[in-house]
Amino acid sequence: MTTPKPRQAVRGSQSGRPIMALLDLLGRRWALRMIWELRGEPLSFRQLRDRCDAMSPTVLNQRLRELRETCIIEMAATGGYCLSPSGLSLVQAMLPLLAWSEEWQQLLEGEGLEDI
């Protein structure tokens, strides 16, 4: 499987639109979790794996390669992995989605839909 990038066909879209490439990349198993875990501090391979519920080392290596190729994460000066400036910008762009999800949770709990 190739790394999703703008101007290339990706899963679910032949258009090459940047948003479709991003959604393909972020929709891959563990990608969002890895980005979220790196939002605070650089983490070593082992630390990142532990924070991601001991995910498979093979999958972790694959996602690290993809997220590095797409300039979302980079090697930290102190060792390990960290978000790149672009990755930090992505996390900032996701914060309104976090706020919306919390409001959504409250709405569902208020409607008694949390058990459905």
Side-chain angles (χ1 to χ4, degrees):
M1 191 181 313
T2 62
T3 302
K5 294 180 184 167
R7 297 187 182 170
Q8 296 177 0
V10 296
R11 288 182 304 158
S13 176
Q14 298 297 313
S15 70
R17 290 188 181 112
I19 188 66
M20 297 307 294
L22 178 63
L23 291 174
D24 184 0
L25 179 64
L26 296 180
R28 292 183 175 198
R29 191 172 37 158
W30 295 106
L32 277 171
R33 176 72 180 270
M34 291 170 60
I35 292 166
W36 191 251
E37 294 298 340
L38 289 170
R39 76 192 185 286
E41 62 184 336
L43 298 173
S44 69
F45 184 94
R46 183 179 299 265
Q47 289 171 319
L48 186 55
R49 184 168 180 245
D50 289 345
R51 291 210 186 166
C52 292
D53 303 323
M55 68 190 284
S56 141
T58 303
V59 174
L60 179 55
N61 272 317
Q62 179 70 26
R63 292 302 164 262
L64 286 170
R65 184 185 61 75
E66 292 168 349
L67 293 170
R68 288 181 68 198
E69 280 181 18
T70 53
C71 301
I72 292 173
I73 66 170
E74 59 190 16
M75 296 301 296
T78 58
Y81 299 91
C82 64
L83 292 175
S84 67
S86 181
L88 290 168
S89 176
L90 174 60
V91 168
Q92 289 300 311
M94 290 177 0
L95 291 177
L97 189 58
L98 172 64
W100 183 90
S101 70
E102 290 168 351
E103 292 172 13
W104 180 51
Q105 176 186 1
Q106 291 174 357
L107 173 69
L108 294 179
E109 288 171 353
E111 296 291 324
L113 299 176
E114 68 274 6
D115 295 326
I116 295 178

